[in-house]
Amino acid sequence: MKINELVQDFVIHTTNEEKALLAKLKEVKRLNDFLERDQEVIRNLINKSLVKRIDQKDKTLVVANGSAKTI
């Protein structure tokens, strides 16, 4: 039996602040372009696997994962 068959409705709880930032991250953006508070919220979203961090030579890029359902 697969885990998807056992867990029918998997959601990740997010705050209103996190939802607002997720809406801004539909395309790739530099992490340093955000305010310090927003960067901390983005780090929390990375820990929840809702945002993907892309490390390049001297910059860090972030983008929202497309397959996550949040409430």
Side-chain angles (χ1 to χ4, degrees):
M1 184 172 264
K2 296 180 181 179
I3 190 73
N4 291 344
E5 294 172 0
L6 294 174
V7 180
Q8 298 278 327
D9 191 26
F10 181 75
V11 294
I12 299 172
H13 295 279
T14 57
T15 65
N16 291 337
E17 188 176 20
E18 290 171 338
K19 287 178 187 178
L21 272 173
L22 272 174
K24 293 179 184 178
L25 291 172
K26 297 299 179 188
E27 57 191 35
V28 178
K29 294 186 180 180
R30 290 178 53 153
L31 183 60
N32 290 337
D33 291 345
F34 291 94
L35 298 174
E36 192 171 334
R37 172 65 185 155
D38 291 343
Q39 288 180 19
E40 187 63 32
V41 173
I42 290 171
R43 286 186 194 98
N44 291 338
L45 291 170
I46 291 169
N47 291 339
K48 291 181 179 183
S49 297
L50 294 175
V51 171
K52 187 183 304 185
R53 187 174 104 194
I54 305 165
D55 290 321
Q56 288 189 345
K57 296 177 185 173
D58 60 341
K59 57 186 172 183
T60 302
L61 305 173
V62 290
V63 65
N65 282 334
S67 62
K69 181 179 177 184
T70 63
I71 61 169

